[in-house]
Amino acid sequence: MSAEGGMKAVLAALFANLGIAATKFLAFLLTRSSSMLAESIHSLADSGNQVLLLVGKKRAERPATSLHPFGYGRERYVYSFIVSIVLFSVGGLFALYEGWHKISHPEGLDSWQWVPVTVLVVAIVLESLSFRTAIREANQVRGKTSWISFIRRARSPELPVILLEDFAALMGLVLALLGVCLTLATGNGMWDGIGSMAIGALLVVVAAVLAAEMKSLLIGESATPELVERLERAMLAEPLVDRIIHMRTLHLGPEELLVAAKIAVTSHDTAAEIAKAIDAAERRMREAVPLRLIIYLEPDLDRSAGSVAGQTA
């Protein structure tokens, strides 16, 4: 569900941003507005980012090889991290530079004054539709989790990336509209530059948040507490598993999870019984968690229980 929803949100954002970028750049050519140029570059960068997410999704689907025995699932995290870099450099830094240049050499909007306002209002409507699609898809997997927790805890990168990008795009459009309107009202092009710098600062902050989250996923994050609890219940449902000595989980990709656990058994259990119990526990785990699981279960004697029994005797 998260992967399909993520791709739907990515495609909606891609088509919206391509159209918005073209209209914004046309408005810049007519008016030479700094905010319009910053916004057109921002939309163009966003379009490239959505292409990167689609490429990452496609490359992550390659089958495992002897060199990469656990597959290529983390490529989605790599490309999402690249998205944050593009958003920071192409979007944020360029907008800051363009705004500083406009403030240093302010120029009013002398021709085609209605064009940037019209384009920005239309862009706000289109971006709102894209943002609504992302919110709908995220709500299907978010449950009762807050938006901040969802972005921080999501293991699938596409929806958090699109949500943050669309949010930044909407806020950027509002800032650009405010800068253009103040420039038209006062005749002072400095407001246009301030609007561009505000857009740049917003994009830099969003890019930094994205980079931090994607770096964490690249390093390797465990399963969510809810999934860990399900896995533990599934293992302990097997009668021969006395307890879980320890368990480690690691996401190899948004839909792939590595599970390694040491389980306690008694000295009276035969090797055949233990092997059968491990197979049964693995089946229960796969039924309990809607992910592709790679499971390694290691049986060990329950020394803590034996030690307690010996002390009691």
Side-chain angles (χ1 to χ4, degrees):
M1 178 66 72
S2 62
E4 294 176 0
M7 289 303 106
K8 184 177 179 180
V10 170
L11 290 173
L14 174 60
F15 293 134
N17 280 316
L18 285 174
I20 292 171
T23 55
K24 286 177 182 176
F25 192 70
L26 177 61
F28 161 72
L29 292 177
L30 293 174
T31 63
R32 298 296 171 179
S33 166
S34 176
S35 293
M36 293 308 303
L37 178 59
E39 275 298 307
S40 63
I41 296 299
H42 176 198
S43 294
L44 189 61
D46 280 353
S47 300
N49 288 341
Q50 276 104 52
V51 172
L52 286 172
L53 293 176
L54 293 172
V55 171
K57 174 68 165 56
K58 185 67 176 178
R59 290 183 62 83
E61 294 172 351
R62 291 178 294 167
T65 64
S66 58
L67 183 61
H68 298 93
F70 292 115
Y72 293 85
R74 286 194 182 180
E75 287 230 33
R76 288 166 70 177
Y77 301 149
V78 173
Y79 279 83
S80 298
F81 186 77
I82 295 174
V83 164
S84 68
I85 296 174
V86 172
L87 193 64
F88 176 82
S89 57
V90 179
L93 295 184
F94 178 82
L96 287 172
Y97 166 77
E98 184 63 24
W100 173 82
H101 177 74
K102 191 73 172 185
I103 292 174
S104 302
H105 304 86
E107 296 177 2
L109 302 177
D110 300 323
S111 59
W112 300 90
Q113 296 179 341
W114 55 271
V115 170
V117 175
T118 303
V119 168
L120 287 171
V121 170
V122 172
I124 287 174
V125 174
L126 294 176
E127 200 66 62
S128 298
L129 294 175
S130 174
F131 194 31
R132 185 182 66 175
T133 300
I135 290 174
R136 283 179 175 178
E137 299 303 325
N139 280 334
Q140 295 183 24
V141 294
R142 182 173 66 94
K144 296 181 180 179
T145 307
S146 67
W147 285 108
I148 295 177
S149 296
F150 173 72
I151 291 173
R152 295 193 62 182
R153 296 174 59 186
R155 302 303 188 260
S156 181
E158 289 81 14
L159 279 175
V161 169
I162 294 301
L163 282 168
L164 287 174
E165 273 193 354
D166 284 353
F167 172 77
L170 267 178
M171 293 300 100
L173 287 168
V174 172
L175 291 171
L177 182 61
L178 183 61
V180 168
C181 289
L182 287 173
T183 298
L184 291 174
T186 63
N188 189 347
M190 181 184 68
W191 291 110
D192 190 25
I194 293 175
S196 180
M197 292 200 73
I199 294 169
L202 174 67
L203 293 181
V204 167
V205 171
V206 171
V209 172
L210 269 180
E213 294 302 319
M214 293 306 113
K215 184 198 75 170
S216 180
L217 290 170
L218 275 173
I219 293 173
E221 290 190 358
S222 64
T224 61
E226 293 83 0
L227 291 184
V228 170
E229 185 179 351
R230 289 188 199 176
L231 292 169
E232 290 176 345
R233 284 202 307 264
M235 275 190 282
L236 292 174
E238 173 54 39
L240 264 66
V241 177
D242 292 343
R243 67 184 181 91
I244 301 170
I245 299 173
H246 64 74
M247 182 174 71
R248 301 289 184 271
T249 61
L250 179 67
H251 268 276
L252 303 172
E255 281 84 40
E256 297 87 21
L257 184 65
L258 173 66
V259 182
K262 180 175 283 191
I263 56 176
V265 297
T266 66
S267 58
H268 305 294
D269 300 324
T270 65
E273 290 173 336
I274 293 173
K276 186 177 179 180
I278 288 176
D279 291 340
E282 289 182 356
R283 283 194 299 271
R284 288 190 176 94
M285 293 165 70
R286 289 191 168 90
E287 291 171 358
V289 175
L291 297 174
R292 290 191 292 273
L293 300 182
I294 299 175
I295 305 172
Y296 295 100
L297 299 183
E298 177 187 354
D300 198 358
L301 293 178
D302 196 349
R303 293 181 176 86
S304 63
S307 175
V308 172
Q311 291 175 5
T312 303

